[in-house]
Amino acid sequence: MVLADVHGRPLRNLRLSVTDKCNLRCAYCMPEENYVWLPKGDILSFDEIAQIVDAFVAAGVDKVRLTGGEPLLRRDLPYLIAHLAAKPGIRDLALTTNGVLLAELAKALRAAGLRRLTVSLDTLRADRFVSIARRNDLHHVLSGIDAAQAAGFQNTKLDTVVMRGVNDDEIFDLLDYARDVRAELRFIEYMDVGGATRWTRDKVVSRAELLQRIATRHGPITAIPALDADAKSAPAERFALSDGTVFGIVASTTAPFCGACDRSRLTADGSWYLCLYAKLGIDLKTPLRVGESTDQLRARIERVWTARTDRGAEQRLALHDERGALLGDEDLRRDPRLEMHTRGG
Ligand code: SAM
Ligand code: SF4
Ligand code: SF4
């Protein structure tokens, strides 16, 4: 029987943050240079992660995405991937990375059993990369994307957060680049989530505007219908240009998809968030560390999920003109789990 929340949404998709640390400082995700990191002793070990994942799988999860912070900073990550890839209950194992360490690790990730990769790429200009991410690493990211292809990753996704006046003049260059490296570009609407303390409505380039700008340049755009259950619950809507180029748009800000949301997030210290906008998480580390069995954890997860009512992005949309940044720097220092980089995007 499928476990459903109050709105009938199944629990299927777990985003698993393996570290809150990051080697970039994207201003839309991490507002300041100095952070309160999660205490080291609180970070779940691989064995602990594996037990929690078993409990989630027993409760219905069959898709797991590793994220962070920057997941490739987690030491021995291929070892965890091999362990998760061997679990029959996980039908789809993926990873989201900023790509900085991908050239070094692509082969090992592939050999460990990873099949799906998303690389975040907001610009193709080195100087702009520095102003967005506050580190000079574009060349590493681009060679990482090449290395992923050489290692055998196919259908790689490239995620671009589009921000007006920051990188929205690159949408065509990014589409060309993605086509050249045989990856699928996905434009992500800029979201007013935890770390985005500088978010304003006018910086959001909406799905509607993106489609209109792309159509003006490339001609008619065909929407690709979502046919199976996976596509229906996926955040990205997919489109094709007349030359066959396929791209996606994740319209989380202007056209939220909370009604079909089967996702939840586990931080690297074992706090479980039922929504990207949730202010409080459910502590799974403590019961795990006091010795709860996988079955007890499963029962705990099921109790929480069946009472889930979250529709964060829809509530944000309903604020209309009053919508601004969700949190300030002070809030984020008080609780680092409110940050996007801690809960994994
Ligand atoms: N460090 C990895 C990376 O950047 O791919 C994984 C973690 S990161 C938090 C996951 C995703 O969240 C990235 O694609 C990033 O662009 C996205 N993200 C962070 N802040 C965002 C915001 N304010 N609006 C939209 N997407 C955001
Ligand atoms: Fe950028 Fe990802 Fe790091 Fe956030 S977690 S600062 S999006 S690289
Ligand atoms: Fe799901 Fe919350 Fe995002 Fe809505 S805002 S799609 S409920 S995570």
Side-chain angles (χ1 to χ4, degrees):
M1 201 191 64
V2 177
L3 182 72
D5 73 1
V6 169
H7 300 301
R9 300 169 296 185
L11 168 67
R12 288 190 51 214
N13 204 318
L14 182 67
R15 300 182 68 109
L16 190 64
S17 172
V18 291
T19 179
D20 60 325
K21 297 278 163 49
C22 193
N23 42 7
L24 298 182
R25 295 286 185 276
C26 307
Y28 56 75
C29 175
M30 302 173 80
E32 300 288 322
E33 270 294 328
N34 300 312
Y35 298 91
V36 185
W37 300 110
L38 296 173
K40 213 172 163 198
D42 286 355
I43 304 297
L44 301 181
S45 68
F46 285 171
D47 284 346
E48 289 174 326
I49 291 176
Q51 190 185 342
I52 291 198
V53 167
D54 282 341
F56 274 103
V57 169
V61 162
D62 60 1
K63 298 178 82 174
V64 174
R65 177 172 290 274
L66 300 172
T67 177
E70 174 44 40
L72 301 190
L73 287 176
R74 178 78 191 239
R75 196 187 304 179
D76 298 328
L77 186 72
Y79 180 82
L80 176 68
I81 289 175
H83 195 85
L84 297 179
K87 288 189 189 298
I90 302 178
R91 203 168 45 80
D92 184 21
L93 179 65
L95 176 130
T96 299
T97 172
N98 62 29
V100 174
L101 296 172
L102 196 51
E104 285 165 45
L105 286 166
K107 262 193 194 155
L109 297 173
R110 182 82 187 163
L114 188 69
R115 291 289 169 268
R116 288 214 308 125
L117 200 56
T118 299
V119 184
S120 300
L121 181 70
D122 300 320
T123 177
L124 294 165
R125 301 187 193 170
D127 56 335
R128 191 171 276 180
F129 188 96
V130 176
S131 65
I132 295 175
R134 293 177 271 191
R135 299 288 184 272
N136 187 10
D137 277 316
L138 178 66
H139 54 300
H140 289 131
V141 178
L142 298 182
S143 48
I145 293 168
D146 291 342
Q149 209 180 21
F153 284 101
Q154 289 171 354
N155 306 319
T156 295
K157 305 276 192 310
L158 301 179
D159 278 8
T160 301
V161 179
V162 188
M163 293 161 284
R164 191 181 312 284
V166 176
N167 63 349
D168 63 324
D169 54 349
E170 285 191 74
I171 54 182
F172 306 122
D173 292 346
L174 284 158
L175 274 170
D176 289 346
Y177 170 79
R179 191 196 48 231
D180 291 349
V181 296
R182 278 175 278 144
E184 187 171 313
L185 189 69
R186 298 191 308 183
F187 297 109
I188 319 286
E189 287 183 352
Y190 186 20
M191 286 187 272
D192 52 346
V193 283
T197 52
R198 293 170 199 162
W199 186 92
T200 52
R201 273 181 4 143
D202 57 305
K203 287 210 194 84
V204 178
V205 180
S206 69
R207 166 189 180 281
E209 180 181 339
L210 277 166
L211 286 174
Q212 185 253 316
R213 283 168 69 173
I214 295 169
T216 304
R217 167 82 158 237
H218 285 285
I221 296 172
T222 313
I224 301 175
L227 294 177
D228 56 22
D230 274 352
K232 283 186 182 134
S233 69
E237 291 169 84
R238 297 172 77 231
F239 302 92
L241 301 178
S242 52
D243 69 1
T245 304
V246 172
F247 66 96
I249 299 182
V250 179
S252 345
T253 302
T254 67
F257 32 83
C258 301
C261 176
D262 59 2
R263 272 172 298 285
S264 64
R265 294 163 166 86
L266 190 76
T267 61
D269 67 344
S271 292
W272 182 32
Y273 285 86
L274 303 184
C275 179
L276 200 46
Y277 287 91
K279 297 225 167 105
L280 288 176
I282 293 105
D283 174 20
L284 295 180
K285 172 177 89 287
T286 304
L288 176 80
R289 289 196 174 166
V290 300
E292 268 195 13
S293 68
T294 305
D295 205 45
Q296 285 170 315
L297 284 170
R298 176 200 51 76
R300 188 182 281 277
I301 290 166
E302 290 184 357
R303 274 196 306 277
V304 172
W305 188 264
T306 46
R308 175 188 190 241
T309 56
D310 301 62
R311 300 183 85 107
E314 286 180 357
Q315 285 162 349
R316 298 293 297 166
L317 185 67
L319 291 176
H320 302 290
D321 292 350
E322 276 147 52
R323 193 168 183 180
L326 183 70
L327 300 164
D329 293 339
E330 286 302 307
D331 305 306
L332 299 175
R333 275 170 208 277
R334 249 193 322 274
D335 183 354
R337 293 188 205 86
L338 296 170
E339 295 255 12
M340 185 72 156
H341 75 271
T342 308
R343 57 179 68 171

